[in-house]
Amino acid sequence: MRNKDTRIISYLFNEMDPSERVEFERKLIDDENLLIEVESLKQTKLRLSPLPELHPPKHIIESVLKEAEEYSRKSVINRGRSVYYAAAAVLITGFLASAILLDQNTENSSAAQASVSAPTFETTQSPINRVTSVRQASAPLQWIDSNDVIRFSDRVSQNQTSDIDSIFKNSYKKLTPVTNPTQTGAYHRNLQLTGSRP
Amino acid sequence: MKLNNTDYIPAEFEAMQDKELVHLFRKKDDQLAFRELMNRHQAKVYSYIFSMIQNREIANDIFQETFTKVITKMDDTYNEQGKWIAWVMRIAHNATIDHIRKQKRFVDVSSSYDKESKTDFYDRLPDEDSTGQHEQLELDESTASLLKHIQNLPEEQRTVVMLRHYYEMPFKEIAELTNVSINTALGRMRYALINLRKMFDEEYEKESNNV
């Protein structure tokens, strides 16, 4: 299709820029055939103008409106459902998380109680670990003296005294003086280290 | 025809733009907003469908199908950026063209000659003219004649004429809707006008001869 032909339609249906329109109208003055064609098509276009607006039957409109209402009602229910499911999911997650946390807290507190009631004199542990575990239980009180010996101070009931004495005796048996000749430093010679001998 | 049922549409809705009404319907399920949208556009949508099909029953079905899609697909496919009515028209246009193409396919497949009755498919068809006359009873003679001429235009030319007539749709939008270049859309309009001019001339000649 030639450009001129499509320009006739653009002109007839007012789809030209003002400058294009002026230029096209100049051409109409110069070109008689073009003018005849434009006028002829304009008359045909005018004959289309009485085309009426038709309306759908009332029952069709009512049916469409009812459908819209129905759809909205369903979507509200669906939206409500999804909110309900989301809330339920949050609640379940919350319950699960709190149950896990409670479980962990129970384990920690029972471990702490166990460490308080049956403390701290396991001689197989290194002194540093032992100090840590004793500190975690917050009793008994302990310190390291000038000879680098760990000391404890605690109150126990009378029937536990003998047990503790035996633990002390056993722990002394496990202490071994440093005899390594390569270690010449005064600090090392004075240290007493725990061993793992039974 | 405005919706004249018991549901009164407040004046504030009439002042609103389409996109505001669409928003109210989508987000707040406002039925009055949807009624106002229908009120504004139903005649144009229906006229376009009817002018393409020229059969009341089928036009009713396509109109209803169009709005069913509008209602159910609005949340998924309409993004509120473009004009709502252009989106609705695209649906109406696609439904109409689907119907026309299905009809064509049906006729092509079935247009066989029956040796026994010595008739072809077209002979066996019910007289469409009687239906056509029935449809057009409400219209005056010149309008009915005009619609008949439009019906005789090739589908793609008819589409351009009707979209332009009922929506004053810019040729750029017509081109987008029908998936062609703007020059093709302009060209189709030109051929449509030339064909209509020819039909009017022939009609005039016939009338002159009858007189």
Side-chain angles (χ1 to χ4, degrees):
Chain A
M1 171 138 326
R2 286 175 300 163
N3 192 30
K4 188 180 84 176
D5 299 329
T6 54
R7 284 163 67 83
I8 294 174
I9 302 299
S10 300
Y11 176 74
L12 283 178
F13 288 88
N14 294 322
E15 289 219 353
M16 273 184 169
D17 295 336
S19 59
E20 277 182 315
R21 196 169 182 81
V22 169
E23 192 193 336
F24 189 79
E25 282 169 352
R26 262 190 218 137
K27 275 186 188 164
L28 285 177
I29 295 167
D30 296 338
D31 187 340
E32 197 177 326
N33 288 333
L34 181 64
L35 180 65
I36 291 167
E37 179 71 359
V38 168
E39 280 304 316
S40 170
L41 291 179
K42 192 191 266 181
Q43 291 308 312
T44 311
K45 180 183 169 250
L46 281 175
R47 291 185 73 167
L48 294 176
S49 51
L51 266 180
E53 270 202 347
L54 301 169
H55 299 272
K58 201 180 168 190
H59 73 273
I60 297 285
I61 297 176
E62 289 301 325
S63 155
V64 169
L65 293 174
K66 205 174 274 180
E67 206 173 336
E69 271 177 41
E70 187 71 14
Y71 182 78
S72 295
R73 201 172 54 77
K74 277 183 191 165
S75 62
V76 166
I77 291 169
N78 285 343
R79 251 178 270 160
R81 270 193 196 145
S82 52
V83 168
Y84 171 78
Y85 288 139
V90 168
L91 281 175
I92 289 167
T93 314
F95 279 128
L96 284 175
S98 54
I100 290 166
L101 284 173
L102 276 173
D103 193 39
Q104 280 179 348
N105 285 344
T106 314
E107 277 176 18
N108 286 345
S109 59
S110 58
Q113 279 175 352
S115 63
V116 169
S117 58
T120 61
F121 300 107
E122 289 184 22
T123 50
T124 51
Q125 277 187 323
S126 72
I128 294 167
N129 285 345
R130 194 151 28 118
V131 168
T132 310
S133 64
V134 167
R135 274 181 190 161
Q136 278 172 348
S138 75
L141 185 66
Q142 77 285 346
W143 69 94
I144 298 171
D145 67 9
S146 57
N147 293 320
D148 293 324
V149 174
I150 299 170
R151 296 190 176 275
F152 298 89
S153 167
D154 198 5
R155 288 185 178 184
V156 291
S157 59
Q158 286 243 322
N159 52 4
Q160 286 181 315
T161 323
S162 58
D163 293 343
I164 290 171
D165 284 346
S166 68
I167 289 168
F168 265 123
K169 278 173 190 167
N170 284 334
S171 71
Y172 282 131
K173 282 177 191 169
K174 289 178 184 178
L175 291 174
T176 313
V178 177
T179 53
N180 188 348
T182 57
Q183 292 177 335
T184 52
Y187 176 77
H188 286 104
R189 249 181 270 137
N190 291 333
L191 254 180
Q192 287 185 313
L193 301 175
T194 54
S196 59
R197 289 187 310 180
Chain B
M1 181 179 72
K2 294 276 176 183
L3 303 179
N4 57 352
N5 50 23
T6 49
D7 300 292
Y8 165 72
I9 301 174
E12 65 197 74
F13 283 85
E14 286 175 27
M16 282 183 194
Q17 291 185 342
D18 282 2
K19 65 176 183 182
E20 293 171 276
L21 294 168
V22 170
H23 188 78
L24 276 176
F25 176 65
R26 286 176 76 176
K27 303 295 174 194
K28 297 183 180 174
D29 300 307
D30 194 322
Q31 298 305 308
L32 288 177
F34 187 74
R35 275 174 191 275
E36 176 58 22
L37 283 168
M38 282 289 284
N39 211 10
R40 282 182 195 179
H41 300 295
Q42 41 107 355
K44 285 180 176 176
V45 175
Y46 188 77
S47 300
Y48 172 73
I49 296 168
F50 182 80
S51 63
M52 294 293 287
I53 303 287
Q54 304 219 358
N55 177 307
R56 273 271 182 201
E57 292 301 316
I58 297 171
N60 290 349
D61 288 347
I62 295 176
F63 179 83
Q64 196 157 6
E65 182 191 329
T66 298
F67 275 94
T68 299
K69 280 187 185 162
V70 166
I71 292 162
T72 55
K73 306 278 176 193
M74 212 188 301
D75 285 339
D76 302 327
T77 56
Y78 177 61
N79 61 8
E80 292 194 29
Q81 299 300 312
K83 280 186 201 164
W84 182 76
I85 189 56
W87 177 73
V88 174
M89 275 312 298
R90 184 179 289 274
I91 294 172
H93 170 74
N94 288 341
T96 308
I97 297 300
D98 275 357
H99 174 80
I100 291 170
R101 290 186 181 157
K102 269 182 204 162
Q103 286 292 101
K104 273 187 189 169
R105 225 177 303 153
F106 175 75
V107 170
D108 287 344
V109 168
S110 312
S111 60
S112 55
Y113 184 76
D114 180 21
K115 284 178 185 173
E116 280 184 22
S117 62
K118 292 183 180 175
T119 54
D120 65 14
F121 173 76
Y122 299 103
D123 293 328
R124 294 193 297 273
L125 272 177
D127 188 0
E128 277 190 27
D129 281 351
S130 59
T131 324
Q133 280 167 12
H134 175 71
E135 298 299 341
Q136 291 163 14
L137 277 178
E138 306 158 28
L139 309 170
D140 64 61
E141 202 180 330
S142 63
T143 309
S145 159
L146 183 56
L147 279 171
K148 197 175 133 199
H149 291 324
I150 287 169
Q151 181 67 15
N152 287 331
L153 287 173
E155 172 208 311
E156 61 274 16
Q157 292 173 22
R158 210 184 329 154
T159 303
V160 179
V161 172
M162 292 297 104
L163 287 173
R164 181 69 194 194
H165 179 79
Y166 284 116
Y167 285 94
E168 294 192 348
M169 195 178 266
F171 283 98
K172 188 170 172 273
E173 282 182 29
I174 294 173
E176 281 170 11
L177 185 69
T178 53
N179 293 320
V180 293
S181 70
I182 188 165
N183 274 345
T184 304
L186 289 165
R188 283 177 177 175
M189 177 59 98
R190 180 172 171 271
Y191 282 124
L193 291 180
I194 290 169
N195 283 332
L196 284 169
R197 181 175 65 189
K198 201 174 155 189
M199 289 176 206
F200 293 142
D201 289 347
E202 282 172 2
E203 190 182 45
Y204 179 75
E205 264 178 41
K206 250 186 211 174
E207 281 171 8
S208 306
N209 289 338
N210 286 341
V211 173

